[in-house]
C-alpha cells in the first residue's frame, strides 16, 4: 500500500476513535474518553482537536494540571486553534489562576473577534481579576489580622418570637436539637444565626485544642466508620446516617475532608457535622480537605452559599475555623487516614506531621499541601500531579511510608471512584469517596468503611444517590465557573 494511503487510513482510523471518545464524553464516561482520545493521539499527534478534547475530559475529572498540559499541546500544534486557549483558560480558572486565565481568554477574543460567547467570558474574567486585585489591595497581612471569632458574642443575639426552627437551650448542643435541625434542613428551612454562631464557635474551640495529627483509640469489640468527600450533598449524608446510624460515642465517625463546595447544601452538611462534634466530641472526627480553604470556597460555591443563606461574617468565620481542622488521623496506631495522600520526599514521620503549623490557608507546596492534594498512581516512584498541585505517588512510596511509621494501611479520599472506593498499592491503600452521583452527573456510587477492633479489617459499604430538592450543584459557585460546567 502506498505511503499516502497508509497515512489516509491512519487519519481516518484516528477520526473513528475520536468519534467513540466523543460518545463516551457525552455519557459522562470521562476516563474512558481520555483513553480513547489518547489512542487517537498515538495515531495522529498533529491534530489539535484531539489534544483540546482530552483537555476538556481531564477538566471534567478535576485533573487541571493534565488539562493545561494537553491544551498547551493543542496550541503548540495549531497556534490559531481558539479551543486550545479556551480549554487552558477554563482549567486555569478552575485552579483559581485568574490572571493566567485572562491571558488565554484575551487570545480567544483575538482569534474570534465576533464570537459573543468569547466576549462574555473575557468580560467575566476581567471582572474576576479586578476583584482579585481589589481584595489584594485591601487585605490585611496575616500577622495583623484579628480573629473574627473573637468579635462575636452569640449570647447577645436575639431570636425573634416568630422563629419556629430548632433551638439550643443553654450552652449544650443535644441530640434532640441536632435531629430537629437536620429535619428542618431536610425541609429546606434555615437555622437561626444565633445557633449557627454557637455551633461554629464551639467547634472552633474544640478543633483549636487538637494536634495536627490526631490519634484515635478504638477499644476491642468496638467499631469505627470512615467517610470520604461529601461535597455539600446533604441528602446523601442523611442516607449515610440512615444506613449506618447517627454519630455517637458508640458509633463514631471520621469525615475525611471536602465536606463543602460543588453540592448546593454545603452549609447544611457543615452545620450538621459541627453540631455532632459539639454534642459529643468523640462521636465525630473531622479532617481538613483541599476544599476547606478560601481559594476553593471562593470558586466552587461554599462562599456564595454562606453569603446567601447567612452573611459575610460567616464567610470569614468558616474560613477561620477551617484553618483549625486537623490534617490527618491514626486509628489504633495502624491506619493512617488523610484526605489527599503522601509526600514528595521519603522519611516523613508521624511526628513531622504533628509538628505542622496548620493554622493557615494551605500553601502551594510542602507537607501540608501534599497531605491535602496528592493522589496515588499505579506506577512506582513519584510523578507530577494531574491536578497541577501536590504530586502522584506509587505503591513503593506507600509501602515505605507505612514501614517507616510501623503502620498497616493508608485510607484517603479526594477522588471520585465509580464504586465509591478503590483498593490500590497491593492492598495497602484504599480511596473512599462518599458523594454518590457526584455533581448530579458522574453516576458513581458512594462508600464508607467500617473498621472493628482489634483486627481493623476494612468492611466497605457502598450506596447509591438519593433524590434531593431541585437545586443544582454549583448553584452558588463563581458566576464565571458556572459558564464552563
Amino acid at each position: 500500500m502506498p505511503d499516502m494511503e497508509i497515512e489516509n487510513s491512519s487519519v481516518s482510523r484516528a477520526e473513528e476513535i475520536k468519534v467513540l471518545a466523543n460518545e463516551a464524553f457525552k455519557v459522562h464516561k470521562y476516563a474512558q474518553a481520555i483513553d480513547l482520545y489518547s489512542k487517537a493521539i498515538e495515531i495522529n499527534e498533529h491534530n489539535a482537536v484531539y489534544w483540546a478534547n482530552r483537555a476538556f475530559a481531564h477538566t471534567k475529572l478535576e485533573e487541571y494540571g493534565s488539562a493545561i498540559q494537553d491544551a498547551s499541546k493543542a496550541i503548540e500544534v495549531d497556534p490559531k486553534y481558539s479551543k486550545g486557549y479556551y480549554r487552558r483558560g477554563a482549567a486555569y480558572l478552575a485552579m483559581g489562576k485568574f490572571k493566567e486565565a485572562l491571558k488565554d481568554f484575551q487570545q480567544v477574543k483575538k482569534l474570534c473577534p465576533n464570537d459573543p460567547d468569547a466576549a462574555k467570558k473575557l468580560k467575566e474574567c476581567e471582572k474576576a481579576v479586578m476583584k482579585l486585585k481589589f481584595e489584594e489591595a485591601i487585605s490585611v497581612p496575616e500577622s495583623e489580622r484579628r480573629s473574627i471569632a473573637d468579635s462575636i458574642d452569640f449570647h447577645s443575639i436575639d431570636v425573634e418570637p416568630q422563629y419556629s426552627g430548632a433551638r439550643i437551650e443553654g450552652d449544650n448542643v443535644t441530640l434532640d436539637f441536632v435531629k430537629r435541625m437536620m429535619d428542618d434542613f431536610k425541609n429546606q428551612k434555615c437555622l437561626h444565626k444565633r445557633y449557627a454562631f454557637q455551633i461554629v464557635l464551639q467547634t472552633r474551640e474544640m478543633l483549636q485544642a487538637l494536634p495536627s495529627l490526631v490519634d484515635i483509640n478504638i477499644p476491642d469489640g468496638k467499631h469505627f466508620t470512615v467517610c470520604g468527600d461529601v461535597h455539600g450533598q446533604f441528602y446523601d449524608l442523611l442516607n449515610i446516617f440512615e444506613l449506618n446510624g447517627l454519630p455517637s460515642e458508640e458509633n463514631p465517625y471520621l469525615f475525611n475532608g471536602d465536606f463543602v463546595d460543588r453540592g448546593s447544601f454545603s452549609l447544611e452538611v457543615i452545620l450538621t457535622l459541627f453540631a455532632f462534634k459539639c454534642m459529643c466530641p468523640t462521636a465525630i472526627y473531622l479532617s481538613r480537605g483541599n476544599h476547606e480553604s478560601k481559594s476553593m470556597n471562593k470558586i466552587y460555591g461554599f462562599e456564595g452559599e454562606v453569603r446567601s443563606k447567612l452573611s459575610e461574617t460567616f464567610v470569614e468565620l468558616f474560613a477561620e475555623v477551617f484553618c483549625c481542622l486537623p490534617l490527618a488521623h491514626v486509628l489504633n496506631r495502624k491506619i493512617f487516614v488523610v484526605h489527599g495522600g503522601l509526600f514528595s520526599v521519603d522519611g516523613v514521620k508521624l511526628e513531622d506531621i504533628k509538628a505542622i503549623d496548620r493554622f493557615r490557608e494551605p500553601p502551594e507546596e510542602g507537607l501540608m499541601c501534599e497531605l491535602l492534594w496528592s493522589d496515588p498512581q499505579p506506577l512506582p516512584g513519584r510523578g507530577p500531579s494531574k491536578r497541577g498541585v501536590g504530586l502522584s505517588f506509587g505503591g513503593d512510596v506507600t509501602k515505605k511510608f507505612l514501614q517507616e511509621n510501623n503502620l498497616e494501611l493508608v485510607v484517603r479520599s479526594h477522588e471520585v471512584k465509580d464504586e465509591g472506593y478503590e483498593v490500590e498499592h497491593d492492598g495497602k491503600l484504599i480511596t473512599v469517596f462518599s458523594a454518590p452521583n457526584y455533581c448530579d452527573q458522574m453516576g458513581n456510587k458512594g462508600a464508607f468503611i467500617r473498621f472493628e477492633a482489634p483486627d481493623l479489617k476494612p468492611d466497605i459499604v457502598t450506596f447509591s444517590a438519593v433524590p434531593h430538592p431541585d437545586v443544582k450543584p454549583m448553584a452558588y459557585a463563581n458566576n464565571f465557573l458556572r459558564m464552563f460546567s
Side-chain angles (χ1 to χ4, degrees), residues 295-479:
S295 59
M296 293 289 107
N297 298 161
K298 201 178 278 301
I299 302 171
Y300 289 100
F302 184 60
E303 186 177 295
E305 184 182 341
V306 171
R307 197 176 279 122
S308 168
K309 292 177 181 177
L310 285 169
S311 69
E312 186 63 42
T313 305
F314 274 98
V315 169
E316 291 180 50
L317 181 60
F318 276 114
E320 216 170 86
V321 178
F322 287 164
C323 291
C324 302
L325 286 161
L327 303 176
H329 294 74
V330 174
L331 312 183
N332 284 13
R333 300 187 180 179
K334 285 185 179 182
I335 299 171
F336 180 71
V337 189
V338 66
H339 179 72
L342 300 180
F343 312 101
S344 54
V345 291
D346 286 332
V348 176
K349 294 290 202 291
L350 296 181
E351 287 310 309
D352 299 322
I353 300 168
K354 271 202 173 102
I356 295 170
D357 175 12
R358 70 181 190 277
F359 298 98
R360 56 194 287 207
E361 287 301 315
E364 290 198 11
E365 56 185 18
L367 297 188
M368 181 170 168
C369 167
E370 290 161 3
L371 285 163
L372 301 183
W373 278 98
S374 294
D375 295 294
Q377 64 179 26
L379 297 171
R382 294 176 172 91
S385 165
K386 54 197 174 186
R387 297 173 190 269
V389 190
L391 70 141
S392 297
F393 60 94
D396 54 333
V397 175
T398 299
K399 189 178 175 186
K400 196 168 185 190
F401 172 78
L402 291 172
Q403 279 173 347
E404 287 177 347
N405 287 285
N406 205 16
L407 297 162
E408 294 175 8
L409 178 70
V410 173
V411 174
R412 44 88 64 180
S413 303
H414 194 39
E415 283 184 285
V416 188
K417 298 293 176 186
D418 284 346
E419 292 303 311
Y421 73 97
E422 189 172 350
V423 181
E424 297 169 81
H425 294 178
D426 296 326
K428 295 292 183 191
L429 181 143
I430 303 176
T431 297
V432 60
F433 191 84
S434 305
N437 194 25
Y438 180 48
C439 290
D440 282 1
Q441 60 166 268
M442 295 300 281
N444 60 294
K445 286 182 179 165
F448 54 82
I449 310 176
R450 280 173 64 101
F451 295 97
E452 190 164 322
D455 64 359
L456 298 187
K457 290 276 179 287
D459 173 20
I460 301 171
V461 180
T462 66
F463 58 95
S464 297
V466 296
H468 63 76
D470 189 22
V471 184
K472 299 281 183 281
M474 304 282 281
Y476 300 93
N478 181 298
N479 253 351

Side-chain angles (χ1 to χ4, degrees), residues 82 105-122:
S82 64
F105 287 113
Q106 283 167 338
Q107 193 61 32
V108 173
K109 183 77 169 72
K110 200 186 277 182
L111 291 167
C112 311
N114 301 318
D115 181 346
D117 185 53
K120 189 179 173 190
K121 289 191 167 71
L122 176 59

